[in-house]
Amino acid sequence: MSNYPVIAIDGPTASGKGTVASLVAQKLGFHYLDSGALYRLVALASEKLGIDVKNAAELGFLVPKLLISFNNNQILLDGEDVTDAIRTENIGLRASALAVHPEVRTALVGLQRGFRQSPGLVADGRDMASVIFPDAVLKVFLTASAQARAERRYKQLIAKGISAKLSDLLQDLQERDARDSSRGAAPLVIAEGAKVLETSDLSIDQAVKTVLDWYQSVIT
Ligand code: CDP
């Protein structure tokens, strides 16, 4: 592993970690890894191929065959722009279902660690601090109440022109929380040494500032 600094930001679904992590990366001029997008890409590709989410072996074999590229704000899968296609609730639930398999998780490790490049990386996900970058210089567990997260997700989807129902979203995210936290392989946990950031009552700017302040205090 290289020595470039990593800020790991983990947390439950719709906690805002993606927004906060990418803004922190921007401010520091660091690279940004949206690890959830990788699970979503596996979900989309396997759906197209008709692979069952329970078929751990076939899903594991599929991962190294995928041609994934992150191009500014665009995500390409085998040359096709799938930036919006991977953001649906259906793909999110499918991603969470296949993320339980160690075969899938192991196949994605190298790809994720490859994002650690000069001058540094901000990585967001569920197991960034616990499994992928255990030597992260700063570990943040970013969370918010289920209600606040459902409302954020609702606004996000509506803004994108995707129709949604708040009560369904709340139920989906509680299901996903339960599955992400209880699975055997790399469950969503507050890593040892992680600082908890409760964002129910924080603006995005306040959350970003807190992470940047914490980072300054660990490197000075
Ligand atoms: O947008 P949201 O936070 O709901 O999900 P995401 O970060 O895009 O990740 C989609 C799914 O992938 C999650 O529900 C997790 O089950 C899984 N995931 C994971 O297992 N490990 C990661 N490092 C990132 C995502």
Side-chain angles (χ1 to χ4, degrees):
M1 263 191 239
S2 72
N3 284 326
Y4 300 120
V6 175
I7 299 177
I9 304 186
D10 293 302
T13 184
S15 53
K17 60 190 187 312
T19 310
V20 171
S22 66
L23 286 170
V24 169
Q26 233 176 60
K27 293 263 184 209
L28 295 170
F30 279 16
H31 296 275
Y32 167 54
L33 165 62
D34 171 5
S35 63
L38 300 177
Y39 289 90
R40 287 171 177 270
L41 284 163
V42 180
L44 183 69
S46 60
E47 187 180 61
K48 283 186 179 166
L49 291 169
I51 303 174
D52 194 291
V53 282
K54 294 199 189 78
N55 193 335
E58 224 180 302
L59 291 165
F61 284 132
L62 173 66
V63 172
K65 293 189 206 140
L66 300 177
L67 218 88
I68 296 170
S69 73
F70 289 82
N71 219 334
N72 295 322
N73 291 326
Q74 246 190 6
I75 301 174
L76 303 181
L77 176 65
D78 297 327
E80 188 193 335
D81 182 354
V82 294
T83 319
D84 293 330
I86 60 165
R87 295 296 160 197
T88 64
E89 278 307 291
N90 165 46
I91 290 296
L93 285 170
R94 200 177 151 82
S96 153
L98 57 79
V100 302
H101 304 306
E103 290 85 344
V104 174
R105 309 199 67 84
T106 307
L108 286 170
V109 170
L111 189 60
Q112 295 176 84
R113 292 196 176 140
F115 279 78
R116 186 176 199 169
Q117 286 171 20
S118 173
L121 175 69
V122 181
D124 107 55
R126 304 291 191 286
D127 60 345
M128 296 298 98
S130 55
V131 177
I132 307 296
F133 303 109
D135 63 340
V137 60
L138 173 64
K139 300 179 176 182
V140 178
F141 189 87
L142 199 145
T143 188
S145 69
Q147 186 66 33
R149 289 186 282 129
E151 282 166 17
R152 286 177 192 169
R153 177 52 52 90
Y154 179 78
K155 284 186 198 150
Q156 251 175 21
L157 290 171
I158 296 299
K160 283 186 189 149
I162 302 172
S163 71
K165 220 173 112 192
L166 188 61
S167 55
D168 289 350
L169 290 175
L170 183 60
Q171 199 187 331
D172 279 358
L173 79 81
Q174 282 166 336
E175 247 176 59
R176 193 142 22 133
D177 279 358
R179 184 156 45 193
D180 288 354
S181 309
S182 64
R183 70 182 174 214
L188 173 67
V189 287
I190 304 179
E192 211 185 307
K195 290 175 182 289
V196 177
L197 184 53
E198 217 309 335
T199 65
S200 301
D201 299 317
L202 290 188
S203 68
I204 291 167
D205 284 352
Q206 286 170 320
V208 170
K209 188 176 177 312
T210 306
V211 176
L212 288 170
D213 288 348
W214 283 343
Y215 180 63
Q216 283 313 317
S217 70
V218 294
I219 59 165
T220 49

